[in-house]
Amino acid sequence: SAISYVTSGVSKKVALLTGHSANDYTDDFVSVLKDNNYTVDTISDAMVNTISDEYDAVCIAAPTGDYLDSEITALSNFLENGGKLNKGLIYFADAANPRLPVLEAFLESWGIKTLDGILYETNANYRTEDSATTMLITPASDEGITKNTGYCIAADENTTATAFMTTSDSVVTAPAGSTSDWSADGETKKQYAAAIMSEKTSDDTSSRVIAFGSIEYIHSDWISNSRLSNMNVAVSAAEYAAHAED
């Protein structure tokens, strides 16, 4: 838990990569991490070709531009850590941003597949009053919101991806760029993954990637809402990625 992490006296270090993000949505998330004994450094370089192994995890939030192959190599090398693994990545997508084929291919290599479209909750009991794309996600003890979707897919025998937060089973996918007159009538309702964790293991160690379907999960309106568990889940995700519980 966040409390046990603080009292453990263990300090973890996270690099926030903002060079591909037009907007900074992470102030509240960074503040929460710092309150939980993390050191957070912002790396705003437009191109990052190496990531220091002094960091336990990196965070990518709502990128608006795709990554270069050399940057993907840097991310992969960081997570590989010279074969020692024990590193992590936290990724927050943004449905308002364009497709990012290079970054998405990297995530797919970790068993995390991003799909086209915006999730639309048809059941008024599981969404906010003014927006069908702002919805509750489960497990029941952890509520949140999502605006995009992803699937867990087979990566390789050493990598396992698992959805740890999902929508209800009354959600449909609206095509990207849908206008206000789009209707969910006749669309197939199903449950979607809203957040996925992936772990690549070797011997007794691992590196981990966590992907959230929406940057809005850590928006100030939701992460600071005492009726929701967004803050707890965000800290738990950071703990998992940074191996704080090890």
Side-chain angles (χ1 to χ4, degrees):
S1 68
I3 294 175
S4 64
Y5 176 60
V6 171
T7 57
S8 70
V10 176
S11 178
K12 292 292 183 176
K13 196 167 186 179
V14 175
L16 177 63
L17 307 183
T18 63
H20 289 268
S21 302
N23 300 299
D24 186 1
Y25 300 102
T26 60
D27 286 350
D28 294 280
F29 181 54
V30 168
S31 178
V32 168
L33 291 183
K34 290 180 176 179
D35 287 344
N36 282 273
N37 212 29
Y38 286 77
T39 298
V40 181
D41 292 339
T42 298
I43 300 176
S44 58
D45 298 355
M47 184 170 63
V48 175
N49 287 323
T50 184
I51 302 170
S52 173
D53 62 4
E54 70 182 292
Y55 296 106
D56 299 289
V58 296
C59 178
I60 298 174
T64 53
D66 207 357
Y67 277 59
L68 300 175
D69 289 338
S70 59
E71 294 178 291
I72 296 300
T73 298
L75 286 173
S76 297
N77 289 343
F78 170 76
L79 292 168
E80 187 65 28
N81 193 24
K84 296 178 290 185
L85 303 181
N86 205 42
K87 298 296 183 182
L89 165 67
I90 309 170
Y91 172 70
F92 294 94
D94 188 349
N97 290 342
R99 295 301 299 261
L100 309 169
V102 177
L103 182 58
E104 290 170 11
F106 164 76
L107 292 172
E108 192 165 333
S109 74
W110 280 80
I112 301 168
K113 184 174 178 61
T114 302
L115 304 180
D116 284 318
I118 299 175
L119 296 188
Y120 184 103
E121 176 59 77
T122 64
N123 188 330
N125 293 322
Y126 299 123
R127 69 191 196 199
T128 60
E129 183 177 353
D130 58 348
S131 175
T133 59
T134 303
M135 65 197 69
L136 294 176
I137 59 178
T138 55
S141 60
D142 298 307
E143 299 175 344
I145 61 169
T146 181
K147 281 184 65 179
N148 204 357
T149 183
Y151 280 144
C152 305
I153 60 174
D156 59 59
E157 61 181 8
N158 298 316
T159 304
T160 302
T162 306
F164 68 96
M165 305 193 79
T166 60
T167 70
S168 75
D169 59 5
S170 53
V171 171
V172 301
T173 303
S178 296
T179 59
S180 58
D181 60 353
W182 179 83
S183 173
D185 293 344
E187 299 292 332
T188 301
K189 301 174 184 178
K190 60 188 294 185
Q191 186 177 64
Y192 289 88
I196 296 172
M197 57 185 181
S198 178
E199 185 169 38
K200 181 175 292 186
T201 58
S202 177
D203 296 327
D204 295 327
T205 188
S206 68
S207 279
R208 299 160 175 173
V209 173
I210 293 183
F212 285 85
S214 176
I215 187 64
E216 289 195 29
Y217 193 88
I218 55 171
H219 189 281
S220 59
D221 288 346
W222 308 111
I223 199 171
S224 61
N225 190 323
S226 61
R227 297 183 301 164
L228 303 176
S229 298
N230 292 42
M231 182 182 296
N232 291 337
V233 173
V235 172
S236 294
E239 287 186 341
Y240 179 80
H243 297 260
E245 81 288 1
D246 293 351

